[in-house]
Amino acid sequence: MTPYILHVGIIIILFSILSLSLNMAVGMAGLVSLGHAAFFGIGAYASGLMMLEGLPFIVCLLLSGIITSLFGLLLAIPSLRVKDDYLAIVTLGFGIITVIVLMNMGITGGPDGLTGIPQASVFGFDITSKPVYLVFCVSILAVMVLTTSRLKASKVGRAWAAIRDNDTVAMFMGINIYYYKILCMVISSFWAGIAGSLYAHYTGYINPMTFGMQTSIMILAMVVLGGIGSIPGSIIGAAALVILPELLRGLEANQGIFYGALLVAMMVLRPQGIMGRMKVTDIFARGGS
Amino acid sequence: MGVILKVESVHKSFMGVSALKGVDLEVEEGQILGIIGPNGAGKTTLFNVITGLIRQDSGRIYLNGEDISGTPIYSRARLGMARTFQNLEIFKDMSVLENVMSGGHLHLDSGLLECILDSKRKRQEEEDLISRAMALLRLFGIEDKADQDAFTLSYGEQRKVEIARAIATRPRVLFLDEPASGMNPRETEELDSLIKRIKEDMQLTIVLIEHDMNLVMDMCEEVVVMFEGSVLTSGSPREVHRDQRVIDAYLGRDVV
């Protein structure tokens, strides 16, 4: 396999982790987030900074997931007071603030970002070569898929589905909706942080702009395209939206037009996404309910 | 048999309009209590206050002697309250079986880690829950619809799903808000005997709001009549039926 294909493969896996983590919130529990890339960024910066301090990669990877989930917790607590469209606005604000903070803090390197992030090794084994790193990322995605599908098929998944459907009625089932919403945000942001760490050590260089609105929307598009609430859909959606621009590269200036047109056509023809059961409008724009 | 539910001078107003004006109510354990009254009498508001959906302005509510006036809904469910809604509130994105299973949430003990690790206890609990939920669906005669999307069922069947889901929480007191609405006479009759049977089997206390007088007369041991936000009178269905004040309340004459 050429390095180019391996590179695209690694990016697909990283975005699969991101879109599945967002789908956990949006698709499984109905918690709309427009700032998911911020968690991606927090994980990347946390990991990069710790790695520059000389901590081993595997420690940085785990810690960046945990640190990011703490931010998820911090965002979840006040956000519980709002839902639907209002939650979307809160997370949008969170995404914007995170980029501004990263842009202006000394320790994060300001707009220049962090450079020279040491590359990854696990217990002395160098995993920086592309094929090895791809295998490493795939195995992390596999762990995520396994744990997520088990959660989905357990009382946790049922509680999330009940909350997504109608959180007031969910309470009458004895479901502590605050606990389950916080839990969802914490696990979702944990995985986004892991993706951030994997990304930081892959590129060796990060800057705030990577983690802004555009990336948040991109991840959300992957979720919607792949299928809201669907685990395989999250991966298919990520793969499609990473590969598509690569295929359209030959169109140069017209690339954006075709990319946009394809997305619009997809949503018109199949509003529930490639693998999903629910339509976008089941989660978004429920207005007033 | 003591008092299982006690409501003490509950007041509630919405933007200056009094919906409940000092309601007192006592429900004996094991009883089927009917709440009737003309539209706008405050029946559903009273249900909403008792089950925690809305907060009363003043007054207290006791479940089995415990003050639950400020307890969140999910904790009241844990203490043994379950309800259905006047406007069906089933989970639309779930199958019929999943709807009923979600009612069993309270009684699953395995924690987060066990769910992730798919522990033996978790799998056992899920299996038990499925068979309990199926048993309930059988009881309601809709077990063949278990895997269908809940919203595809007929109105009457959706009501049954909602009641089965409420029973799956294993309540001590079950609140039914117009259980027979939208049902045809045959379904209503079925429901009547079903509710009585469930009440005996599960030693439930049932409080229900109903407009179908035949159902109320046949099923309830005691009837409370509400009118304009207060309790007008209460007694056996027979007594209430003959009460001139009740007739006046319904027909809109001045209440003496």
Side-chain angles (χ1 to χ4, degrees), chain A:
Chain A
M1 275 192 278
T2 65
Y4 168 69
I5 292 188
L6 288 169
H7 169 74
V8 172
I10 290 168
I11 298 298
I12 288 175
I13 301 304
L14 295 185
F15 272 101
S16 296
I17 296 174
L18 285 171
S19 76
L20 180 51
S21 68
L22 179 61
N23 214 344
M24 215 182 279
V26 174
M28 296 182 196
L31 306 172
V32 178
S33 170
L34 294 181
H36 203 60
F39 294 122
F40 181 36
I42 290 167
Y45 271 90
S47 194
L49 286 169
M50 285 188 289
M51 198 85 167
L52 287 168
E53 290 297 317
L55 284 172
F57 168 68
I58 205 81
V59 174
C60 294
L61 180 67
L62 267 177
L63 276 180
S64 61
I66 293 167
I67 290 168
T68 312
S69 65
L70 290 177
F71 278 88
L73 178 71
L74 278 179
L75 178 66
I77 294 168
S79 306
L80 290 173
R81 298 183 161 275
V82 296
K83 58 184 191 181
D84 300 339
D85 312 2
Y86 304 100
L87 180 61
I89 301 296
V90 170
T91 54
L92 179 71
F94 173 72
I96 293 167
I97 291 166
T98 304
V99 171
I100 293 172
V101 169
L102 291 175
M103 196 88 92
N104 288 286
M105 260 175 38
I107 191 175
T108 58
D112 296 335
L114 292 180
T115 48
I117 298 165
Q119 292 196 304
S121 69
V122 178
F123 303 122
F125 290 102
D126 185 30
I127 57 165
T128 45
S129 79
K130 283 198 167 73
V132 180
Y133 204 63
L134 178 61
V135 171
F136 184 72
C137 292
V138 167
S139 34
I140 289 189
L141 176 63
V143 172
M144 184 189 185
V145 167
L146 182 71
T147 54
T148 309
S149 49
R150 280 179 174 174
L151 278 180
K152 196 184 172 195
S154 72
K155 69 168 184 182
V156 177
R158 259 195 318 273
W160 285 343
I163 290 168
R164 179 190 65 209
D165 215 301
N166 188 333
D167 59 355
T168 307
V169 178
M171 284 195 276
F172 285 99
M173 307 299 119
I175 295 168
N176 182 338
I177 61 167
Y178 306 108
Y179 169 78
Y180 281 99
K181 283 182 180 182
I182 290 176
L183 181 69
C184 185
M185 290 285 269
V186 165
I187 299 176
S188 165
S189 52
F190 173 85
W191 286 112
I194 295 284
S197 173
L198 290 171
Y199 176 79
H201 302 294
Y202 178 62
T203 59
Y205 162 72
I206 47 176
N207 84 65
M209 293 324 291
T210 312
F211 310 111
M213 254 319 271
Q214 202 156 8
T215 309
S216 289
I217 297 297
M218 169 95 144
I219 303 168
L220 189 61
M222 289 168 174
V223 167
V224 173
L225 182 75
I228 289 170
S230 160
I231 293 172
S234 308
I235 296 166
I236 292 170
L241 289 194
V242 172
I243 292 170
L244 202 56
E246 300 295 329
L247 294 179
L248 295 176
R249 216 162 260 249
L251 297 172
E252 294 180 1
N254 296 327
Q255 188 190 331
I257 298 174
F258 277 87
Y259 184 72
L262 274 170
L263 284 187
V264 170
M266 181 69 205
M267 281 302 98
V268 171
L269 296 172
R270 203 173 156 78
Q272 70 272 46
I274 298 167
M275 301 289 290
R277 286 175 65 229
M278 273 174 289
K279 290 181 187 171
V280 193
T281 44
D282 291 341
I283 301 287
F284 297 92
R286 283 184 290 198
S289 70

Side-chain angles (χ1 to χ4, degrees), chain B residues 119-130:
Chain B
S119 74
K120 205 175 164 194
R121 176 165 82 150
K122 180 244 165 188
R123 274 176 285 153
Q124 187 61 48
E125 277 190 341
E126 285 289 311
E127 268 176 43
D128 293 349
L129 178 59
I130 290 173

Side-chain angles (χ1 to χ4, degrees), chain B residues 138-164:
Chain B
R138 240 187 320 279
L139 190 66
F140 281 87
I142 46 175
E143 76 270 31
D144 54 325
K145 311 248 160 102
D147 293 323
Q148 285 186 28
D149 286 335
F151 71 89
T152 62
L153 269 58
S154 74
Y155 199 79
E157 286 168 338
Q158 290 191 29
R159 284 234 166 261
K160 289 179 181 175
V161 174
E162 209 191 14
I163 298 171

